[in-house]
Amino acid sequence: MTLTVADYRKMAGVTQAEMASHMQVPFRTYQDIEAGKVTFRPLHETAAAMALIRIAAARQDASFLPAGIKNTLRLAASALPPE
């Protein structure tokens, strides 16, 4: 199943404006992506995934993250040296 930018936003339970901010794109650009006026490119998908990670970190709750993102974070965390 391919996720849309709206799917990512709904997973996080945030508004369009909040998602745009977390994706670090202008609000109007976000609206155009969600409305299909701008193609949802791999760059946007990466930005949406990073937005979910930022939101999860801010909430200290990763329960809403898709399995693929959780697995990537686990792999990355295991590669970090101990502090």
Side-chain angles (χ1 to χ4, degrees):
M1 176 179 119
T2 303
L3 296 174
T4 67
V5 72
D7 293 330
Y8 282 97
R9 179 177 63 79
K10 290 172 186 172
M11 277 183 223
V14 296
T15 66
Q16 288 183 340
E18 290 168 320
M19 189 66 171
S21 176
H22 286 289
M23 285 178 64
Q24 300 177 339
V25 299
F27 178 57
R28 185 68 189 149
T29 300
Y30 179 85
Q31 286 181 311
D32 288 346
I33 295 167
E34 191 166 308
K37 294 178 184 176
V38 172
T39 302
F40 186 48
R41 300 180 310 204
L43 173 69
H44 300 131
E45 187 170 7
T46 300
M50 286 302 301
L52 290 189
I53 293 167
R54 288 182 190 103
I55 293 164
R59 292 180 184 166
Q60 297 205 351
D61 174 18
S63 63
F64 63 91
L65 293 177
I69 293 175
K70 285 181 184 177
N71 291 337
T72 300
L73 289 174
R74 284 187 189 103
L75 286 172
S78 70
L80 291 173
E83 292 188 12

